[in-house]
Structures are given as structure tokens and as C-alpha cells.
Amino acid sequence: MAEKLVIIGNGMAPGRMLEELFEKAPGLFDVTIFNAEPRVNYDRIMLSPVLSGEKAYEDIVIHDDAWYAAHGVTLHKGAKVTGIDRQSRTVTAANGLTASYDKLVIATGSLPFIIPVPGHQLPGVLAYRDLDDVEKMLGIARGKGRAIVIGAGLLGLEAAYGLKRQGMEVTVIHLMPTIMERQLDPAAAYLLEKALTERGIEIITKANTKQVLGTDRVEGIELEDGRVISGDMVVMAVGIRPASALAREAGIAVNRGIVVDDGMMTSDPNIFALGECAEHRGTCYGLVAPLYESARVLADRLTGGAAEYHGSVVNTKLKVTGINLFSAGDFAEAPDREEIVLRDASAGIYKRLVLKDDRIIGAVLYGETADGSWFFDLLKKQTDISAMRDTLIFGQSFQGGAPLDPMAAVAALPDDAEICGCNGVCKGKITGAITTKGLTTLDAVRGHTKASASCGNCTGLVEQLMSLTLGDAYNPAAVTPMCTCTELGHDDVRRLIKAKGLKSIPAVMQELEWKTSCGCAKCRPALNYYLVCDWPDDYADDYQSRFINERVHANIQKDGTYSVVPRMWGGVTSAAELRAIADVVDKFEIPMVKVTGGQRIDLLGVEKEDLPAVWADLGKAGFVSGQAYAKGLRTVKTCVGSDWCRFGTQDSTGLGIRIEKFMWGSWTPAKLKLAVSGCPRNCAEATCKDIGVICVDSGFEIHFAGAAGLDIKGTDVLGLVKTEDEALEHIVALTQMYREQARYLERIYKWAKRIGHDEIRRQIMQDADKRRAYYDRFVFSQKFAQVDPWSERVSGKDKHEFKPMATVGYSQAAE
């Protein structure tokens, strides 16, 4: 009989504890969670990117509903626990739910401190602790106006940056002379304040708030010196307090937080405390790394182990795009300490190490933080640095004589060196997971270890570890810059286009600091696609940023002529269409007519200047472009299906035509080919297409991620649906997911391998809300995409493209 484990709170610490517990002893406990928030577990340290628009809530979910179901966890959402009965070993929630426990974990987190000045209860005075706070901020930010942030600590500055990114004017009020004074020395604080000011954030230091102004809502604040600042929102980010009232009322020992021993046990041997509500050896931790360390200890104790938590040394990083900041340890001045300082004013770099007895006790890095993990490891282990004293400030690569290659520097790190501070992941865990689980992609490493899955500052280190561990088997193409014009990879560019609301190629290049004035043949087509996909109603397709085939809507041949492929829905044609094609062939003396592998007719050898006239004649017969040249939907191949074939189970031709007419015109990262076969005999070869359908007696079996080009690969089954309507919705949703997530020129089978086939099935087959959202976004984009490019050019659009260059002569007089 499994013991009953009840957890009060569903934050990051208990989530990590459960991961460790299920790995060590699956089935040992029957787990019930009471969560005051009406949602699943999410990454709270990534609230800042959600506020700034760089991520969505879905991007920061740690454990979704399927995870709880898979592990047999009962999760009560929106159920705040109001009482613990230690005698009967039960907990009771405000909604009346009661659960008994054998072991209880209190993980109630912390409460924000709201300065009790007059007006602090007005609507518009907000804290910054959870997703509800973020949603309230975003609601007010839609009206623009001004936000006032009280507190220039880590959270306050991240809130200020996020609200500025949402279009608000932002003023930060701080009591102390310098910002982030707990984490930064005055020099680093100066650089940070300068950088934030350059981003349009006003910072007022040595300022104390007297009152919040307003009657029915926030209208501003008044400072003690009499200054008045108008505003529409006041965010108080001045500190937190452990949420320990529940434990105190139950008679459990509480000081500042819930007092725990080295095994995270409270004064009651059947009750443990974890996270920001716990006080260990007189310290309450508010950063995630120590919470994860203690979570591992508690998981071990619950499974009968004897692990001990001895406290943590923490480091700080600011989640503001474009600002690199690292701080750890004690950097205050004292007679028994010395310091090493490096300043590079032109590069905006400042580094300071504080030493005591030849050991690092504090480090502040601004502008260049690559050595943060190394310095932090030396600090935690209290390594004697006397032998490298003269070169220490230059980082790990400059120790031991000749400068080390960055790879060698990473290789020299010990297995217990911390790589990911957000999630407390060491080098050994990452390399071990890569080796034992056969991980070959960054996304896979993130999924199994959590390294690089939060703020992303350690991504470079993780990639270097992958390269060291996998050697030639590691393909870093997914994380390399998209071209020489930028340092950013495709994923970062896509993310920032949405986050920054960039809606033109010049805007992207300016805001993302392109190295060239106009880009190149690699980045411009990619940017054009991302903008078309992300802003279908705002962005005007830039044909000059497309390859020649897409510019002229025909395929160039080796002799300089073009091929024309009219669309034939599902491969079906008629006598009238065939006559029109024959007339065009005769009229323009087209030398080759070829039936394609996609059940269409290709007219080869058309001169460029004749293209509009050819299209005009084909258009009169009802043809539109087959887009055989496009990074988009090419064909939907079909067999005759149940209407004609004695083996057919469904109307494959009708479904293929319906899909093609619904989806034509859409741009995709790479070419997209579909097929529908009327029975498992698969005459339409659906099992080697990007997306395929096999009709069966019970419905429609949807396949995806096949290839039959340079790579040959059979499809995988996405799932079975019963009706044509369902088949269409699932196929369209899958296509939109691919459109939004794939990198330019990445075929669907490569994207699926990178994302994970199971994850695609989860989103498309299991999550009806997400599937419908993908479907709706595709439908919206088609309002702007389903315009026949041939008829546009016949009407005169881009007509200069099809005029032959004039022969220019020069007279002797002109010379």
C-alpha cells in the first residue's frame, strides 16, 4: 500500500522534488497536491520574459496536466489550504476539500511585501510574484501610459524592463543610492543604471515613497521630498516574506520562515518544508538554485536516504535582453580583503573579484560573463588561487601559460561544476544524460536535465559540453548564426521578432543589430518568411527578398527559360483544362510537356517575357499557380478512392481536393507535399510525404515527417481521426505548428526530429485547445495568402520583372 504524500503548494521546488522522487522510487507514494493558483506548475523565474513579451505562458510550463496524470498525481487547482490538523493528519482547503497524509510537505512560497503607505490598496498597486500579477500588469499596459516601479532590485528592474517593452513609460524609484545594492558594487550598478537609462527607463535613487495618489485607481505617487510622479500603475518590488502562517497556526516551529533541519524536516517529524517558506540554519532562500538543492535532499529523505542540506552559495543574473550581469558572494570592502579589477570602458566591461586569504569570496561581472561559472566554482569550493593570481581576472582561458581554447576551458571544469545556475545543474549531470540517454540536440538536453531551459544564459556552455561529449556526432547547425550578418540563430530571431513587435526587414536589422546594411541572400529570404508568418495582416511580402523562382513564380531551368505548372486540385483535370494547356503549348511553342510526380502537367521552356501571357491564357481556363517553385504547399496527391476503386475505404480524392483548396497559397519554411491514399495499399504514396493520410474503415490515419529526396524516410503515425472535418483540422493545425516553429528551409521531418514526435502528437492529438488555436491562426493567415500570384502579375504587378533588358548602344560622342 503506497503511503500518502500531500504537498501544499505547486511551485518549482516541490516540482523538482517530485521529479527526483519519481526517479528514485516510482510508486512509493500516492501524491496529492493542493495549489492555490488555478494552473499547473510553471517556471516562475521566467515571468520576466513573459511580461516583456519574449515568451508566452505555454513556453514556461514545467509540468502539464499530462505529466501529473502519467505519474498518478492528484492535483487540486485553485485550492488554497486553510488548515493543517496534525493529530488527524489531514489538510483542509478553502473549497472544502480534505486529504489525509502520512507525510506532508509545506511549500507555500513567499508573500510580497507591500509598503503600507497611504493609497497602497488602490486598484493598480501590484506586486510581482506570480502569473496573475503579470496578467494584471499586461492588462494595464495595453493602455500604455506610465508605470512606476518601487524597488530597483532584481525583480523590480526586470518588471521595469518588461513594462517598457510593452510600450509603457517607466520610472523606477529606489531608496538606496545605487540600484541592486545587495548584488552589485557601485561600479557595476553605475553601468547597469546607464544601460537601463539608455533603454528609456527613468531611475530615481535616494527616493522614498510618501503615498500613492488617486481616488478610484492609481494616479501616481508622491515622494517624501515633495516630488509628484504621475502614473497608471505602481509595482511594488521591495522584498518578500516567507508564507509561514499556515505552519505557525498548526503549532509548527516558525522563526522568520518554517524552521527545518538538514533533512528539511520541521518540528513535526511527519511534516517537511521546502522552498521560500523554509528557514534553514537561519537563512531563507529566494533564488531557485538552493531550492532545487534542498528539493533533492528532501526527495532522498522521503525514500529512506540520509542526504543532508548544508546551505547554498548563490549567484545572480539579470533577465534583461542585451545586458550581461553576474554577481556572487560577498563583495563588500574590508581591511582583510583585496580586490582585482578589470575595466574596459569602450567595450562596457567591468570585472571585480574580491579575495580573502587567496580565495575568491565575491565576484561581480558586467558586460562579459562567460567566466561566471568558473569563478563561481572557485568561490564555492574555496580553491586556493595563489598560483594563478596574476592572470585570474582574465578568466579560465588564460590560466596555465598559453591561453586555452574555450573548448579546453570547458573540458577542464570538474563534473560538479555548476553549469546552469537557474536549475542547479552541474556538468556531470549534463554529460551523463547525453551519454546514457543518447541525447543529440539542445532541446533534448533541456528536456532531460533542465539545463539552459530557463534564462538561457548558460546555453553556450551546454552546447560546448555537447560538442565535447558527442564529438563529430553533434551537429551544431541548429544553434549557429543564421548567416554572417548576425550573431543570432534562427530561433532567437523568430522569438525576438514577436517579442519586439518587429514588422519589417529594416526594423529587424536595426533592432537586432545586423552587421550589414541590407542583409544577404541567406538572411533576407528567412526574415521575409518569418515576417509573413508572424504578421500576416501587417507585413507586406517583399518579393525582392525571395529567390528567383519565387520572385517570378516559375522555376528557372538550366537554359534560362522557365517551367510553368498550373494547379490541378488533387491531381484531377478535365477536357477543357487539357485543351487550354494544349492551346498554350501551341501558341507559345513550348518545347516540352511533362507529367510531374505530383499528378500535374509541367510546361517547360517558357521564355521569361512570355510568362504573364502564358498565365493569362491559363487563367481564362480557371487555372491558378501550382506554386511548384514555392516554399509552400506544392501538391496533395490522391488515388481514386472509394468512388472508383473496389478497395477504397473513403473518398480520398475528395478529401485531397478539399485539403488543397483549403491550404493553397500558404508559405511554409520549406516545400510541403501531401498525399491521401484511399486504403492501406497506399497508391498515393502517403507514407513518404511531409503529411499523409491513409484512409481506413474506421476513419483517417494521419501520418507525418516522411521524406523521399536526398533523405529517404517513412512517415510516423500522428493519430487516427474519424471524420474528414477532424482530419482537416488536425492537418491544418500540424502545418501551422510547423510554420511557427521550424527554421527557414527546414523540412518537416527535420523539424519533427528536433522538436520530438511525441511532443507534436501531444500538442496536436491530445491538446484540443492548442490544436484549435493553431488551426484558427492558419485560417486567419489564409485571408491574406490565398491570392493567385499569376493573376496579380497578369494585372501588372511587378511588371518590370518580366521585361527583357534593353540593348544599350554607345556613340563615339557619348564616349
Side-chain angles (χ1 to χ4, degrees):
M1 185 76 176
E3 286 191 274
K4 295 179 180 179
L5 173 65
V6 173
I7 303 171
I8 303 174
N10 194 35
M12 298 173 69
R16 174 57 63 90
M17 185 272 292
L18 284 178
E19 290 176 353
E20 299 278 344
L21 185 65
F22 293 147
E23 185 174 336
K24 289 175 180 290
L28 181 62
F29 288 100
D30 179 4
V31 180
T32 299
I33 301 174
F34 287 84
N35 188 21
E37 288 191 63
R39 52 184 67 90
V40 294
N41 184 17
Y42 60 90
D43 190 343
R44 293 169 190 268
I45 65 175
M46 297 308 288
L47 286 175
S48 296
V50 173
L51 179 60
S52 68
E54 294 173 77
K55 287 185 179 289
Y57 165 66
E58 292 76 14
D59 299 324
I60 68 170
V61 169
I62 298 176
H63 300 137
D64 59 14
D65 288 304
W67 185 88
Y68 295 102
H71 291 90
V73 176
T74 301
L75 172 62
H76 298 301
K77 303 174 187 176
K80 183 179 180 180
V81 171
T82 55
I84 301 171
D85 188 331
R86 293 167 56 201
Q87 276 63 48
S88 63
R89 292 190 187 178
T90 60
V91 300
T92 301
N95 60 7
L97 283 172
T98 298
S100 60
Y101 66 84
D102 296 305
K103 301 293 183 186
L104 175 66
V105 176
I106 303 174
T108 46
S110 61
L111 300 172
F113 179 69
I114 301 297
I115 307 171
V117 295
H120 73 276
Q121 294 178 326
L122 282 170
V125 176
L126 304 172
Y128 184 29
R129 293 298 298 163
D130 58 28
L131 193 66
D132 290 332
D133 295 328
V134 170
E135 289 176 347
K136 291 175 185 176
M137 291 185 207
L138 290 173
I140 298 174
R142 292 188 189 101
K144 306 308 179 184
R146 178 177 295 276
I148 301 167
V149 179
I150 301 177
L154 192 67
L155 280 180
L157 294 180
E158 289 180 358
Y161 171 74
L163 292 168
K164 182 65 180 178
R165 289 296 314 279
Q166 292 296 336
M168 299 193 79
E169 295 300 315
V170 179
T171 298
V172 179
I173 306 298
H174 195 55
L175 181 63
M176 304 303 290
T178 61
I179 63 176
M180 284 186 68
E181 72 282 351
R182 293 183 180 180
Q183 295 87 12
L184 300 180
D185 63 11
Y190 162 78
L191 289 170
L192 177 58
E193 183 174 342
K194 179 182 176 184
L196 293 171
T197 301
E198 289 172 350
R199 284 164 170 75
I201 297 172
E202 180 186 22
I203 297 176
I204 303 175
T205 57
K206 295 186 287 186
N208 196 13
T209 303
K210 180 179 180 180
Q211 64 176 323
V212 179
L213 303 174
T215 51
D216 299 323
R217 61 176 180 81
V218 166
E219 295 176 10
I221 65 167
E222 181 184 357
L223 301 179
E224 288 285 1
D225 61 11
R227 281 181 289 178
V228 172
I229 302 168
S230 61
D232 306 281
M233 175 197 319
V234 172
V235 179
M236 292 198 182
V238 293
I240 58 174
R241 292 174 173 174
S244 55
L246 192 64
R248 180 182 288 107
E249 292 167 2
I252 298 168
V254 172
N255 190 17
R256 181 165 176 259
I258 305 170
V259 178
V260 296
D261 64 10
D262 290 350
M264 308 310 294
M265 182 189 296
T266 69
S267 56
D268 185 322
N270 297 307
I271 300 178
F272 302 83
L274 184 65
E276 293 177 338
C277 66
E279 178 181 324
H280 174 262
R281 299 188 184 184
T283 301
C284 297
Y285 293 97
L287 296 175
V288 71
L291 306 188
Y292 279 174
E293 292 175 22
S294 56
R296 283 191 287 270
V297 169
L298 179 52
D300 184 75
R301 287 297 183 101
L302 289 173
T303 57
E308 293 186 346
Y309 177 60
H310 296 144
S312 301
V313 179
V314 298
N315 65 73
T316 299
K317 296 174 183 176
L318 184 70
K319 289 176 285 300
V320 171
T321 301
I323 295 179
N324 296 315
L325 173 67
F326 176 92
S327 169
D330 180 2
F331 44 82
E333 296 182 7
D336 61 344
R337 302 174 181 185
E338 60 176 325
E339 64 180 15
I340 307 174
V341 176
L342 183 151
R343 298 180 193 261
D344 185 341
S346 61
I349 292 173
Y350 170 79
K351 299 183 181 183
R352 178 177 175 227
L353 300 176
V354 180
L355 309 179
K356 182 178 180 179
D357 300 327
D358 289 323
R359 286 163 176 80
I360 297 176
I361 63 170
V364 181
L365 310 178
Y366 184 92
E368 205 287 299
T369 59
D371 286 304
S373 293
W374 183 63
F375 287 135
F376 190 53
D377 190 60
L378 296 176
L379 186 155
K380 287 197 300 182
K381 294 177 179 176
Q382 285 296 280
T383 304
D384 187 333
I385 54 84
S386 55
M388 49 182 157
R389 171 69 173 74
D390 292 342
T391 57
L392 183 66
I393 194 67
F394 300 110
Q396 186 183 13
S397 297
F398 286 85
Q399 309 311 312
L404 285 174
D405 178 86
M407 283 290 191
V410 175
L413 288 172
D415 281 348
D416 61 353
E418 183 180 86
I419 299 297
C420 178
C422 292
N423 296 297
V425 186
C426 65
K427 174 185 173 182
K429 181 172 182 178
I430 297 170
T431 55
I434 292 170
T435 303
T436 59
K437 299 181 184 296
L439 310 180
T440 58
T441 67
L442 180 62
D443 288 333
V445 171
R446 285 170 171 165
H448 284 84
T449 69
K450 300 294 193 296
S452 177
S454 294
C455 77
N457 285 338
C458 64
T459 299
L461 281 174
V462 175
E463 291 165 357
Q464 289 174 334
L465 284 177
M466 293 180 68
S467 182
L468 285 167
T469 307
L470 295 171
D472 292 340
Y474 175 56
N475 177 13
V479 294
T480 54
M482 60 190 297
C483 67
T484 57
C485 300
T486 178
E487 298 295 333
L488 297 171
H490 285 269
D491 294 342
D492 285 331
V493 170
R494 291 212 75 172
R495 174 176 60 83
L496 291 169
I497 284 173
K498 291 291 286 185
K500 292 177 175 288
L502 307 177
K503 298 184 179 182
S504 71
I505 290 177
V508 172
M509 293 181 176
Q510 177 63 30
E511 294 298 322
L512 303 189
E513 300 180 349
W514 241 240
K515 298 176 183 178
T516 56
S517 61
C518 298
C520 68
K522 288 185 69 175
C523 63
R524 287 192 69 94
L527 295 179
N528 189 56
Y529 168 70
Y530 296 149
L531 291 165
V532 164
C533 181
D534 290 342
W535 313 109
D537 53 339
D538 287 331
Y539 177 70
D541 187 11
D542 179 18
Y543 93 101
Q544 290 182 334
S545 295
R546 293 195 175 277
F547 295 121
I548 178 62
N549 290 347
E550 292 182 346
R551 285 208 306 274
V552 301
H553 297 278
N555 277 324
I556 193 169
Q557 304 300 304
K558 68 178 185 179
D559 63 353
T561 63
Y562 289 81
S563 76
V564 171
V565 183
R567 191 170 289 281
M568 291 180 173
W569 308 107
V572 175
T573 187
S574 66
E577 289 181 344
L578 293 173
R579 288 191 186 96
I581 290 174
D583 289 344
V584 167
V585 171
D586 290 341
K587 179 178 179 180
F588 295 94
E589 299 179 347
I590 296 173
M592 170 70 81
V593 181
K594 173 76 172 65
V595 177
T596 73
Q599 299 179 333
R600 303 193 292 192
I601 293 176
D602 190 357
L603 311 180
L604 293 131
V606 182
E607 298 294 336
K608 186 177 183 180
E609 57 267 29
D610 288 338
L611 286 173
V614 168
W615 297 336
D617 285 0
L618 291 173
K620 292 174 185 176
F623 284 115
V624 298
S625 171
Q627 294 178 308
Y629 48 82
K631 307 296 183 288
L633 177 67
R634 297 289 182 86
T635 65
V636 180
K637 190 174 182 179
T638 68
C639 67
V640 297
S642 57
D643 280 1
W644 297 93
C645 179
R646 58 197 176 97
F647 299 112
T649 60
Q650 306 284 352
D651 179 12
S652 54
T653 304
L655 177 58
I657 292 172
R658 183 182 177 189
I659 292 170
E660 189 166 358
K661 287 189 173 182
F662 196 91
M663 295 178 61
W664 78 273
S666 61
W667 296 103
T668 51
K671 61 183 177 182
L672 188 67
K673 296 183 178 181
L674 280 69
V676 183
S677 288
C679 76
R681 288 168 178 78
N682 193 22
C683 292
E685 300 167 341
T687 53
C688 64
K689 301 299 184 186
D690 296 294
I691 302 174
V693 179
I694 301 293
C695 299
V696 294
D697 289 329
S698 56
F700 304 87
E701 190 177 78
I702 302 173
H703 290 241
F704 73 114
L710 292 175
D711 293 317
I712 299 175
K713 178 187 176 298
T715 54
D716 279 359
V717 177
L718 181 71
L720 178 70
V721 297
K722 294 182 179 180
T723 67
E724 274 196 8
D725 289 347
E726 290 177 294
L728 181 67
E729 179 178 304
H730 284 69
I731 290 168
V732 168
L734 172 62
T735 301
Q736 183 66 13
M737 183 180 178
Y738 166 59
R739 293 179 75 223
E740 292 179 3
Q741 297 183 10
R743 296 156 186 157
Y744 186 64
L745 301 183
E746 184 177 39
R747 291 293 296 273
I748 196 168
Y749 71 95
K750 293 182 179 179
W751 163 75
K753 181 179 179 181
R754 177 170 60 84
I755 297 297
H757 289 204
D758 289 340
E759 175 62 17
I760 294 170
R761 292 189 189 96
R762 184 189 70 78
Q763 293 195 34
I764 302 302
M765 299 303 301
Q766 299 171 19
D767 192 333
D769 291 339
K770 183 159 286 189
R771 178 178 67 246
R772 191 69 197 185
Y774 282 129
Y775 175 87
D776 289 342
R777 288 197 292 273
F778 183 91
V779 170
F780 176 74
S781 71
Q782 287 295 82
K783 294 178 182 179
F784 312 96
Q786 284 194 326
V787 178
D788 178 33
W790 285 359
S791 64
E792 283 188 318
R793 271 73 193 169
V794 170
S795 299
K797 184 177 181 180
D798 302 331
K799 59 184 178 181
H800 59 280
E801 183 74 55
F802 306 99
K803 290 182 178 180
M805 292 184 65
T807 302
V808 180
Y810 296 92
S811 67
Q812 288 187 344
E815 293 176 351

